[in-house]
Amino acid sequence: MSKDPAYPPQGPPQGYAPPPGAPGYAPPAQPMQPPPYAAAGPPPPYNPNQWGPPGAAQPPQGAPPPQAPPGGYGYAPPGQTNVYIQPAAVPQVITAAPKPGGPSMGYKATAAAGSALGGLVSLTGKGLSALAKGMEREINHAVDGSKVSHTLALFSTGNVLQLYSKVTQRALRVMPNGAVDALGGQEAGAQFIVTNCGSNQVILRNCANPAFHLAVVGGVTTGTGNGTDKSSVFRLHETVSKFVTLESVLCRDHHVGIAANGMVTAPGMTKKGNTAMFSVRLVYSPFGQVQRH
């Protein structure tokens, strides 16, 4: 008993043609024709002086060498390659010239970024320096306001003090006419009653004339302050050598200073140097003694 084959027999695929010489082969009815482009013939001879495609108008004598027209036209003789590449547009670059006498920044910027570059140079110069100084001043004031020491504890409310100039070795005093110098001794005009406002800020009232207060008014150190506004308030700063300086709270960076002749200096011109330093002497305290820290 015969068995059915596992798979049905299959014939050749549709359109199949046996190779030449095989049974069933038949040559094509018509010979194959060459492709259309082959009938066009070879290209014209290469002419290096040709301007544009064949038939194009030639340039006048003395014109620049032939170049590829828009679109990248070009012709190469057999066996060579002639490729025309149109260069990409190059953006304009402007060099930022440094200010006369200043260092070259070495930046390049487009015309639209010129003004922004100028602002950057300004910020990295004086603007940045001023910003750093302002931050440093705020940090120093915060440190001064929170500092605690035996010297600063002498400035408790109600204490009577004398301030001796480092330059003259004499006491700061207020004259009867309200003028201030550092040529005093033990007299009442050279003594001050303290009012502590907190954060190491104080008001100093003169013992000889209770209506007089040490102040900076109109850029001048005077003894005629009224004791009710910021012109009479001073911020204390203690140096490493235990001296103190008096900075006006109303006018920052303005300090009480003493010249070599004992007269006061302009507060705005007086920094935290020797001219602004005073040693502190306790004359009287209602607390009996000063708490040491």
Side-chain angles (χ1 to χ4, degrees), residues 155 159 161 163 172 174 191-195 202-207 212-215 223 225 227 232-234 236 246:
F155 288 87
N159 282 0
L161 305 178
L163 302 174
L172 187 70
V174 177
Q191 300 176 10
F192 297 89
I193 302 172
V194 178
T195 298
V202 297
I203 298 174
L204 301 176
R205 180 162 59 101
N206 190 250
C207 289
F212 283 178
H213 297 76
L214 192 66
S232 302
V233 183
F234 293 91
L236 301 174
L246 302 174

Side-chain angles (χ1 to χ4, degrees), residues 2-10:
S2 62
K3 296 182 180 180
D4 294 334
Y7 300 97
Q10 299 181 2

